[in-house]
């Protein structure tokens, strides 16, 4: 490419400012964030000013029409992801869309279809894949050191971590609460390590016992009066290949830890606890626990943005694929459906 790669940002809030814009700007001189769009124009202008971005838009469609962009980051509430990603790809842009892919499986499918039709990269913001621990376990799994991974556990529980900013407690704009927000990160990481097997049956339960009343907010004060999402989700997923996954996440629960992540994979040759990383095998008649002597600290958000750019500029193979986004969205939808009907759902 002879000219700089031109990047646009849709949604000028927390994740755009902390994880997307700075990491485009620290990649290389060959990449420029040229415009930012936010439906509140003041916010777009404020963000443009803070990051020395030359153009601010109120309507992202005007930005797509006028700015000759090569790539777009989508950092808006979940309900807008599908439309904005599809419009961006159809305007000729590669897309890095924040997680979750969308608020419904049918939207995620449409996004996947348009990615296939246009040949554009569509990556989702599942940045835990870029954590050193996950990368290490993935290498072991890919080399067959785990054997067949047939069981896994994915949990992200917060004691009082209901986000006090944005629209994270608004079902219409987010599609749900802890499951589709923080829980989906662990779900994706587990599926990624398991090789993204095809799901079979899903059983889910959700609760909203704590979010609807006032309480101590460790991630800001949340709006309990308009709290319309679940604050806890639990479930079990079985897969066509016989594997199974236990899931749990909470925005709020009466537990000891302020914030606790559990990611566990169990194969017939080895297993791992990912956070912190410990691995288990049986070799030469001995049960072994082993862990890295040193694991390089990594900025997963930065690695994710740089990987997206490497895929565009250097032809690297994306590690995050649109059909995986559709699959995890199908599981999320099935968990919600099962929670509402009280029955297991065939996926
Ligand atoms: N990967 C992660 O770790 C991570 C962390 C936080 C948020 N996220 C995801 O990023 C997205 C945004 O979250 P956030 O924390 O930045 O929220 P936020 O509320 O801080 O920012 C969202 C921004 O989008 C703007 N916006 C709303 N509707 C819009 C529209 N139709 N068009 C353009 N702009 C619009 C808002 O004005 C706001 O500036 C969500 O999908 C969330 O799930 C991911």
């Amino acid at each position: 490419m002879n000219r700089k790669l031109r990047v646009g940002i849709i949604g000028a809030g927390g994740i755009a400012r902390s994880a997307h814009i700075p990491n485009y700007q620290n990649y290389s001189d060959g990449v420029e964030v040229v415009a930012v769009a936010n439906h509140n124009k003041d916010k777009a202008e404020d963000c443009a000013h803070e990051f020395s971005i030359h153009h601010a838009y109120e309507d992202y469609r005007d930005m797509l029409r006028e700015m000759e962009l090569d790539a777009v980051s989508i950092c808006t509430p979940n309900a807008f992801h599908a439309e904005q990603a599809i419009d961006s790809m159809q305007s000729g842009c590669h897309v890095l869309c924040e997680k979750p892919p969308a608020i419904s499986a049918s939207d995620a499918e449409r996004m996947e279809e348009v990615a296939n039709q246009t040949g554009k990269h569509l990556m989702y913001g599942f940045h835990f894949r870029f954590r050193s621990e996950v990368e290490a376990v993935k290498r072991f799994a890919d080399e067959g050191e785990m054997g067949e991974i047939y069981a896994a556990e994915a949990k992200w529980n917060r004691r009082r971590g209901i986000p006090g900013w944005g629209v994270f407690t608004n079902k219409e704009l987010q599609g749900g609460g802890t499951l589709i927000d923080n829980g989906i990160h662990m779900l994706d990481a587990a599926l990624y390590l398991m090789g993204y097997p095809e799901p079979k049956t899903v059983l889910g339960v959700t609760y909203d016992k704590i979010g609807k009343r006032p309480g101590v907010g460790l991630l800001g004060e949340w709006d309990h009066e308009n709290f319309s999402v679940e604050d806890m989700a639990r479930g079990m997923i079985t897969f066509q290949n016989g594997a199974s996954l236990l899931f749990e996440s909470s925005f709020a629960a009466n537990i000891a830890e302020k914030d606790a992540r559990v990611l566990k994979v169990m194969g017939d040759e080895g297993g791992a606890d990912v956070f912190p990383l410990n691995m288990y095998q049986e070799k030469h008649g001995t049960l072994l626990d082993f862990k890295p002597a040193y694991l390089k600290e990594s900025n997963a958000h930065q690695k994710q943005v740089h990987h997206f750019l490497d895929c565009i500029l250097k032809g690297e193979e994306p590690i995050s694929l649109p059909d995986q986004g559709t699959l995890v969205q199908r599981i999320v939808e099935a968990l919600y459906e099962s929670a509402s009907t009280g029955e297991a759902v065939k996926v």
Side-chain angles (χ1 to χ4, degrees):
M1 186 174 277
N2 294 329
R3 61 172 177 82
K4 289 188 180 191
L5 186 99
R6 295 165 67 80
V7 178
I9 307 290
I10 307 179
I15 200 69
R17 291 172 189 234
S18 64
H20 288 250
I21 299 170
N23 290 319
Y24 284 116
Q25 292 185 330
N26 67 24
Y27 177 81
S28 83
D29 285 350
V31 172
E32 189 179 1
V33 180
V34 292
V36 54
N38 199 95
H39 73 149
N40 171 340
K41 182 84 188 282
D42 287 346
K43 252 188 132 171
E45 280 172 353
D46 180 56
C47 177
H49 178 72
E50 182 184 341
F51 290 94
S52 305
I53 299 167
H54 294 308
H55 301 272
Y57 285 86
E58 185 173 324
D59 190 333
Y60 75 93
R61 292 181 200 89
D62 293 336
M63 176 177 83
L64 292 176
R65 208 168 26 248
E66 292 171 15
M67 289 306 300
E68 294 179 10
L69 301 173
D70 303 298
V72 162
S73 263
I74 293 171
C75 303
T76 50
N78 305 344
F80 305 112
H81 290 182
E83 184 187 22
Q84 293 172 345
I86 287 170
D87 287 346
S88 299
M89 288 185 282
Q90 288 178 336
S91 301
C93 297
H94 300 287
V95 169
L96 175 56
C97 176
E98 262 309 335
K99 47 51 63 175
I103 59 170
S104 71
S106 58
D107 277 355
E109 268 162 31
R110 285 197 299 126
M111 294 161 85
E112 180 188 340
E113 270 167 32
V114 174
N116 291 337
Q117 282 159 9
T118 57
K120 294 293 162 189
H121 292 306
L122 170 61
M123 283 176 48
Y124 295 116
F126 290 124
H127 68 274
F128 278 87
R129 294 183 184 205
F130 296 87
R131 287 278 299 252
S132 302
E133 302 93 329
V134 175
E135 289 178 331
V137 175
K138 180 73 176 150
R139 285 194 295 271
F140 275 76
D142 286 349
E143 289 300 322
E145 299 263 349
M146 305 280 169
E148 176 198 345
I149 297 177
Y150 58 89
E153 233 176 275
K155 299 183 180 178
W156 187 345
N157 286 316
R158 295 187 192 141
R159 183 166 177 164
R160 286 295 184 277
I162 303 175
W165 73 96
V167 295
F168 291 90
T169 57
N170 178 324
K171 185 162 186 187
E172 204 183 320
L173 293 176
Q174 288 293 98
T178 178
L179 163 58
I180 204 166
D181 184 50
N182 56 325
I184 200 171
H185 273 303
M186 289 306 112
L187 207 48
D188 171 73
L191 292 166
Y192 178 57
L193 294 176
M194 296 170 86
Y196 254 88
E198 188 61 28
K200 187 176 177 194
T201 312
V202 165
L203 182 65
V205 192
T206 58
Y207 301 94
D208 59 1
K209 302 280 185 194
I210 296 174
K212 285 181 178 300
R213 64 189 198 212
V216 177
L218 299 181
L219 284 182
E221 293 305 315
W222 74 92
D223 178 4
H224 67 276
E225 284 173 359
N226 296 302
F227 187 91
S228 57
V229 299
E230 80 285 357
D231 55 30
M232 182 182 233
R234 314 185 82 208
M236 168 142 180
I237 301 127
T238 64
F239 298 89
Q240 304 283 356
N241 65 2
S244 61
L245 167 61
L246 285 174
F247 170 80
E248 184 177 277
S249 74
S250 62
F251 274 166
N254 285 318
I255 54 173
E257 304 87 356
K258 184 179 167 197
D259 193 307
R261 291 175 204 135
V262 175
L263 183 56
K264 206 187 259 291
V265 285
M266 290 156 269
D268 56 359
E269 295 294 333
D273 278 302
V274 181
F275 301 121
L277 181 52
N278 274 294
M279 290 181 271
Y280 316 107
Q281 280 184 334
E282 178 181 341
K283 270 196 173 154
H284 313 299
T286 311
L287 292 176
L288 296 173
D289 293 358
F290 57 106
K291 61 182 177 188
Y294 169 76
L295 206 56
K296 197 174 172 211
E297 289 253 334
S298 67
N299 178 338
H301 284 293
Q302 181 181 65
K303 276 163 100 172
Q304 176 170 261
V305 169
H306 288 192
H307 172 63
F308 176 59
L309 292 169
D310 285 343
C311 291
I312 300 170
L313 291 169
K314 301 178 184 167
E316 235 176 58
E317 209 48 45
I319 70 157
S320 163
L321 298 167
D323 61 331
Q324 297 171 341
T326 305
L327 191 142
V328 74
Q329 195 84 47
R330 280 169 52 211
I331 293 175
V332 166
E333 192 165 285
L335 283 164
Y336 281 131
E337 187 188 333
S338 171
S340 105
T341 62
E343 304 289 335
V345 170
K346 291 222 179 303
V347 189

